[in-house]
Every structure is written in structure tokens, then in C-alpha cells.
Amino acid sequence: ARLSDAELVARVKSLAARERAATAELVAHLAELDTRDVHLREGYSSLFAYCRERLGLSEAEAYTRIMVARAARRFPTILEMLAAGAVNLTVVRLLAPYLTAENHRDVLESARGKGKEEVEKIRARLAPRPDVPTSIRRVPTARPEPAPAAPPPPVPLAPTLPMLPPEATPAPLAAVPHRPDATIPAETAVPQAPPTPVRASVTPLSPERYKLQLTIGGETLEKLRLAKDMLGHAIPSGDDAAILDRALTTLLVDLARKKFADTPRPRGSRGLRPGARCPSAAVKRAVWLRDLGRCAFAGANGRRCGERRFLEFHHVDPYVLGGEATVDGISLRCRRHNAYEATLYFGRRRAPDGAGSVCEEARPYGSRPGWFPYLFRNNLSVRRDRPGSEPARATNTG
């Protein structure tokens, strides 16, 4: 907390470089350790068990480092690229089975600075796989796990009672019949965690060929079958991939029409009303095409954000300072960078309730009290609602 921004960035870069160097050294030592019987003399059956139990690594960390160490023993250039940050452990682990003496330098160089998704495309190019057959099957429904039975309460030791005569001995209690329909009291019932949603997976198979796997509902399946029947004249094979491509094309056309009034013959622009804050449909179309549907914020080092989700039309000059809703005056920003540039102009505002809490960028936009949604989501307007007046009408153009 005592560091300035520049000192903090320099310290983080230094620590990251030291971590990369330490990781490369650890991989080099594991590669040498793998050629000896040290782990056997230490009482471990494998190097994996040694890394897991002796070094305290997790299963994934141990597996990845051993795979990279064995690849680095064959191709020492991996250690240099790890230390320099050109590649990381995950990249080398994914490419290790496909490296040869002839291609390892070119393959590793093509993976420089790449992420996992891009490296999987390189792997698909090195070892193409055939297309997977189309299949639709019913997913079994997971049975709810029964709540664990609560342990019986401890039975206190009964005090020693005097012997009673036989006629005074109480009759034994009748056995309580088992009721399968009896409900568990609320205080003893264990709440079940909601099932974790499974996201669709996309796996590259070969250049420009991908496997898409997802789970759909019964209504969606009926829509797919109905579309396949109605397109029988255009797509006789009933290929699901062709049906999906055609559906997405139609959806994108409809979204462009709704978001930017994009039609084959758009009407002429009526001109920008003086003082208008929202850009016209023609301006939105031009800005979207110019920025390629990505956030156009560029950092001090020149790196562009490039985010494609939750985009908003941002005034280059704030609207309250005379910024106009023209093609040159509007640019695409993701939600976080739009809010960030608002703080650059106006600083962080305190909540109007007087509690003195600072509205952070990471807070959900709908939870910001009063005028904060209007400020951060609507092109940097700083109008604050006066007491007793109607709330500012949100006109988010993103």
C-alpha cells in the first residue's frame, strides 16, 4: 500500500520475472532428478508421488511440471523460453507430445505469447482429427443425494434407582412404526447446493474445424427438429451444423437491425439534433464497423483492450463538457473501461447516503445508489437527481 503506481507495477514485473526464472530452474532440476533414483531412495514409488508429497505440489502442478521437465530434457530451448516468459507451463504441456527434433523450434516460436485456446488450434494443425459424428442423446438426470443422517444425541447416564416391585414396573413403550412419508424437520434438513451449470465446450479438431458440445432443453430440441423439417428442401441432408449456421446468420441480421437499425435500404439520416446525447443509428453502425465490434480503449503502452462483450458507446469527450454524438466523437468501450474513464474525468464519487463509502468499479451497476447507474453507464453524464424530482431516465446505448 505504500508503493506508488509506478513502483507497484515495477515490483510486480520484477516478481513475475523472478517467478519465471525459479519455475525454469525447478523444471531443470526435475528433469535431472527424473534421470536418477533419488525419489526411490527417498521411499517414493514415482517422481509424481515425490513432487506431490515431498514438495507439496498439487496433482495438476506435479503432472504439468514433470511433463514439461521431460520435454525440456529433449529440447533445452524450452527452459530459455520459460525463463523469458515466451511460453508458460500449460503451453509446453499441451505441445510436448507433438514436438520433434525437426519442428520444436518452429512450433514453440509459433506459440510465443499465445493462450490456451490459440495453442489448441496449433495442436489441431499438428495432429488433425476427423470430424465427430452428430449425435443427440438424453442426458441422465442426477438423483438428489439423501441428506446425511444426523448423529444421535448422547444418552446421559441414568442415575441409580431403587429396585421397584414387579407390579410397579412400568410397561415397555410400544414400538413407534416407521413412516416413510415422514418429513425431516427444517432444523435437521441439510440444504442441497444448486447444480453447477455446465458450459458449452469448443475443441479444435483440425484447421477451421471445431467440435461443439452443449446441453439443450426439450423445447430447443423440438425447435431444431422443426427447423430441420422446414429446411428439408434447402438442406436435404439435415446437417445440424448447417442448420445452426443458418440460424446464427439470421440471428445476427436481426440483432444488427435492432441495435443499429441496419437494413438493406436504411433511411437517410435526419441529422443530429443539437445537444443530442445519444448517437443516431447511422453513427452506431459506422462506429461499430470502425472499431470492429471491440473495445477501442488503448493503455499507456499502446495495448488495445479488444473486449467484445458488454460494449457501450462512449463519448470521447464527456457529454457534459461539450462532447458530440458524432462518428469521431463516439467510440466503443467495454463496461469496465467506460467506468474507468469516468473516474479519470470526475474522480470517484461518494455515495449520496453520507456513509462515505466509495463506489468501486467492480460493484454491480444495478447496486449503485441514486445517480451512479446514470453516471457510469450513460456516457459520463454527471447529472444528479434532485430530492423530490423524478429519477433520471436511463438511456444506455450499449
Side-chain angles (χ1 to χ4, degrees):
R2 297 189 299 269
L3 300 177
S4 65
D5 289 352
E7 292 172 339
L8 179 63
V9 171
R11 183 70 63 85
V12 169
K13 291 181 178 179
S14 175
L15 292 173
R18 288 163 52 185
E19 182 184 23
R20 291 194 299 265
T23 300
E25 289 188 27
L26 174 61
V27 169
H29 284 72
L30 288 178
E32 180 63 23
L33 194 65
D34 193 30
T35 62
R36 310 183 186 185
D37 297 332
V38 177
H39 57 278
L40 297 177
R41 291 196 299 270
E42 293 285 336
Y44 298 94
S45 60
S46 64
L47 181 60
F48 177 83
Y50 180 85
C51 293
R52 177 68 188 91
E53 301 175 23
R54 181 70 173 179
L55 302 183
L57 301 178
S58 67
E59 287 82 354
E61 291 173 337
Y63 174 78
T64 299
R65 281 155 180 78
I66 292 174
M67 288 284 294
V68 174
R70 290 171 178 172
R73 194 169 64 237
R74 297 165 52 207
F75 313 112
T77 186
I78 292 177
L79 298 177
E80 301 176 3
M81 300 186 73
L82 283 175
V87 294
N88 54 49
L89 295 174
T90 302
V91 169
V92 179
R93 176 180 61 82
L94 292 175
L95 296 178
Y98 310 100
L99 298 179
T100 63
E102 294 76 17
N103 72 353
H104 72 278
R105 293 187 180 276
D106 294 335
V107 172
L108 292 174
E109 191 63 31
S110 65
R112 178 184 293 270
K114 297 291 196 312
K116 181 179 179 181
E117 183 177 352
E118 297 170 305
V119 172
E120 288 180 342
K121 295 180 181 180
I122 297 176
R123 185 172 63 172
R125 174 172 53 85
L126 295 174
R129 289 178 288 174
D131 293 354
V132 296
T134 302
S135 63
I136 299 178
R137 63 183 182 89
R138 183 185 297 273
V139 178
T141 305
R143 297 181 178 178
E145 298 181 359
V155 180
L157 295 177
T160 304
L161 299 177
M163 296 296 293
L164 298 176
E167 61 275 7
T169 304
L173 296 176
V176 179
H178 174 66
R179 293 172 54 194
D181 58 340
T183 59
I184 302 176
E187 59 272 10
T188 61
V190 179
Q192 297 293 330
T196 304
V198 180
R199 299 181 59 183
S201 62
V202 179
T203 305
L205 298 176
S206 59
E208 300 302 326
R209 303 295 294 176
Y210 302 87
K211 180 184 76 171
L212 172 65
Q213 186 174 2
L214 72 162
T215 303
I216 60 177
E219 294 183 1
T220 306
L221 179 60
E222 290 300 323
K223 293 177 183 178
L224 176 62
R225 290 172 175 170
L226 181 59
K228 189 182 302 185
D229 295 337
M230 297 179 68
L231 287 174
H233 62 286
I235 308 177
S237 63
D239 185 12
D240 292 275
I243 301 292
L244 178 62
D245 179 76
R246 187 155 180 166
L248 290 177
T249 302
T250 304
L251 175 63
L252 290 175
V253 172
D254 182 64
L255 291 176
R257 178 180 59 82
K258 292 180 178 179
K259 292 178 70 69
F260 317 119
D262 187 15
T263 61
R265 292 181 295 179
R267 294 182 299 179
S269 177
R270 300 177 181 177
L272 191 65
R273 180 170 55 87
R277 183 174 150 288
C278 298
S280 63
V283 171
K284 291 181 181 180
R285 290 194 296 269
V287 170
W288 189 274
L289 293 176
R290 182 196 63 199
D291 295 343
L292 301 178
R294 298 173 181 267
C295 176
F297 178 87
N301 57 357
R303 184 188 182 278
R304 178 175 173 175
C305 172
E307 177 62 42
R308 301 173 63 174
R309 301 188 65 192
F310 303 111
L311 296 179
E312 299 175 354
F313 291 93
H314 161 77
H315 281 78
V316 178
D317 294 324
Y319 170 71
V320 295
L321 300 182
E324 297 181 354
T326 60
V327 175
D328 295 333
I330 297 294
S331 181
L332 287 181
R333 292 289 187 276
C334 65
R335 184 176 295 175
R336 297 298 298 274
H337 275 128
N338 198 6
Y340 170 71
E341 295 205 50
T343 62
L344 294 183
Y345 275 101
F346 306 108
R348 295 187 184 274
R349 303 284 178 167
R350 293 188 178 273
D353 55 5
S357 60
V358 178
C359 284
E360 299 290 343
E361 297 175 21
R363 287 182 56 183
Y365 289 89
S367 65
R368 288 174 176 159
W371 40 271
F372 271 93
Y374 194 80
L375 166 65
F376 284 95
R377 298 184 65 183
N378 296 278
N379 301 324
L380 311 181
S381 173
V382 294
R383 167 188 168 187
R384 179 172 180 173
D385 299 336
R386 292 173 295 180
S389 63
E390 295 183 359
R393 183 172 62 89
T395 53
N396 178 23
T397 58

